């Protein structure tokens, strides 16, 4: 893996290293219709809505989630190209010893 590739992937892995964010990412990606709002996710956690929103914001800022506002709700969708890049970088033959 090249230095630029490592610098690109490190923030994504850092964001996903948090168990709450990893679960949120999985839940959003597998949610019906491929998108979810905070109201769809809060029941799965013993956390406040603002805390869930913060974690979703972190995932959005590193490029793992897209978001769109509809009225008072913000809907999140997994960025398939970011996930594909992450998988390709981790699984590339360049990473092999």
């Amino acid at each position: 893996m090249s230095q630029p590739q490592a610098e690109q992937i490190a923030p994504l892995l850092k964001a996903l290293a948090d168990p709450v964010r990893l679960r949120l990412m999985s839940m959003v990606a597998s949610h019906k219709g491929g998108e979810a709002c905070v109201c769809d996710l809060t029941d799965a956690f013993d956390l406040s809505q603002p805390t869930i929103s913060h974690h979703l914001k972190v995932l959005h800022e590193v490029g793992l989630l897209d978001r769109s506002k509809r009225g008072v709700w913000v809907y999140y969708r997994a960025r398939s190209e970011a996930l594909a890049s992450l998988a390709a970088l981790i699984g590339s033959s360049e990473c092999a010893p």
Side-chain angles (χ1 to χ4, degrees):
M1 178 181 293
S2 69
Q3 180 67 26
Q5 287 174 318
E7 289 174 4
Q8 177 186 2
I9 199 170
L12 304 178
L13 294 174
K14 184 176 178 182
L16 291 173
D18 182 283
V20 171
R21 289 194 286 268
L22 185 57
R23 286 184 61 209
L24 282 168
M25 189 71 207
S26 174
M27 291 172 72
V28 170
S30 64
H31 199 268
K32 184 180 178 182
E35 65 181 7
C37 71
V38 177
C39 63
D40 297 323
L41 305 168
T42 53
D43 289 344
F45 298 91
D46 190 24
L47 299 169
S48 69
Q49 180 272 322
T51 300
I52 300 290
S53 292
H54 166 76
H55 286 295
L56 290 167
K57 179 182 173 189
V58 170
L59 292 169
H60 169 72
E61 288 176 344
V62 298
L64 289 168
L65 293 177
D66 282 329
R67 66 182 178 191
S68 62
K69 188 166 183 172
R70 299 180 204 149
V72 298
W73 301 107
V74 177
Y75 286 81
Y76 293 88
R77 176 180 292 278
R79 293 190 65 224
S80 55
E81 60 275 8
L83 297 177
S85 295
L86 182 63
L89 284 173
I90 290 174
S92 85
S93 59
E94 295 177 79
C95 295

